[in-house]
Amino acid sequence: MAAQRFFITGTDTEVGKTVATCQLLRALARDGLRVAAMKPVASGCEWRGGVLWNSDVAAHRTAMNVSVPEDWANPYRFEPPISPHLAAREAGITVSLDHLSDCADRLGELADVLLIEGAGGWLAPLSEQHNMADLAQRLAAPVILVVGLRLGCINHALLSAAAIHAAGLPLAGWIANRVDPHMARADDNLAYLRTKLNAPLLAEIPYAADAVHQVMLLNAVSLTGGAACTTPDTPPN
Ligand SMILES: Nc1ncnc2c1ncn2[C@@H]1O[C@H](COP(=O)(O)OP(=O)(O)OP(=O)(O)O)[C@@H](O)[C@H]1O
Ligand SMILES: C[C@H](N)[C@H](N)CCCCCC(=O)O
Ligand SMILES: [Mg+2]
């Protein structure tokens, strides 16, 4: 049976999509599920042993519990750390949604859950024609929004949620990631978002130097079991 897939987006680049993806993979694996991740397009790669290496893809590999071919998990990789549409254009490559959909289908045969991490935020472009939202639509993947808790994130989170809704995709849930340990009124910001984002808060990720290696403490929410999603009245801790 094909994997249940989720598209992991964020309020911006560098808000913790990779950290959240890795933590969620581990949490689901601990529940006995076969989990895989995909990074459809990675810009910001480096040459290692004659091949382009990407840190997001490498991090995903530490948290997956199935073996998947690199060319399916990360079909497009580019060296410069710039917007994917520019990196692809400079490389003379057109990112194909057909190809990405094909790779996601193949990966989906190997796992129970497939997490697909976008690059940048919801409308980051893949080409002159397409962006992450088009890809998520093409993959028909419910969306998980990672909110990097820092000043400005309320606006970014609500705009992202509105755009996800406008794309006709369900917001399966959101994750609050404490990327800024010095953020003033962080809890008040989080409380406001809980009242305004019309989706369950799946988890809060504390600030930690080794966050990418940790396991997500999921709230009492069913992502994969088919039961109704619920957010507890009182968050854990
Ligand atoms: N909870 C956290 N505590 C401490 N550092 C964090 C946390 N979450 C993320 N970081 C750090 O912030 C940086 C950005 O995180 P990450 O790479 O997960 O972002 P991203 O949204 O995946 O970025 P991109 O758009 O490049 O894929 C990384 O250095 C990461 O280790
Ligand atoms: C290189 C970086 N870390 C990401 N992979 C790409 C971020 C693209 C952002 C595009 C934009 O919204 O301006
Ligand atoms: Mg990332």
Side-chain angles (χ1 to χ4, degrees), residues 17-19 39 56 60 117-118:
K17 295 184 301 294
T18 301
V19 165
K39 180 83 179 179
D56 289 17
H60 292 168
E117 184 192 332

Side-chain angles (χ1 to χ4, degrees), residues 44-217:
C45 301
E46 56 189 79
W47 287 103
R48 287 194 182 185
V51 293
L52 280 173
W53 176 92
N54 178 259
S55 59
D56 289 17
V57 178
H60 292 168
R61 283 206 175 277
T62 69
M64 286 192 240
N65 61 4
V66 294
S67 169
V68 299
E70 188 89 345
D71 286 346
W72 300 354
N74 179 215
Y76 295 100
R77 55 200 84 138
F78 303 109
E79 190 174 6
I82 57 179
S83 181
H85 80 295
L86 298 176
R89 190 168 75 194
E90 288 177 13
I93 287 171
T94 304
V95 172
S96 159
L97 296 193
D98 283 344
H99 181 55
L100 291 175
S101 176
D102 200 41
C103 290
D105 287 347
R106 288 162 191 250
L107 286 175
E109 296 300 323
L110 304 176
D112 301 311
V113 180
L114 174 63
L115 302 184
I116 302 150
E117 184 192 332
W122 181 244
L123 294 181
L126 289 165
S127 65
E128 297 300 327
Q129 288 77 35
H130 298 299
N131 58 28
M132 296 300 151
D134 298 315
L135 175 59
Q137 273 182 317
R138 176 60 190 270
L139 299 175
V143 181
I144 294 174
L145 175 65
V146 179
V147 177
L149 283 178
R150 60 189 180 206
L151 194 59
C153 73
I154 292 176
N155 177 53
H156 290 156
L158 298 182
L159 283 173
S160 301
I164 292 162
H165 180 68
L169 285 169
L171 182 57
W174 64 286
I175 293 165
N177 185 24
R178 295 185 185 264
V179 280
D180 176 5
H182 306 297
M183 183 187 185
R185 314 291 185 273
D187 289 341
D188 294 332
N189 279 254
L190 201 154
Y192 182 84
L193 282 172
R194 285 187 79 154
T195 65
K196 297 293 180 187
L197 282 174
N198 192 20
L201 174 60
L202 302 177
E204 287 175 47
I205 302 179
Y207 182 86
D210 64 343
V212 77
H213 299 299
Q214 295 191 1
V215 185
M216 184 170 284
L217 182 62

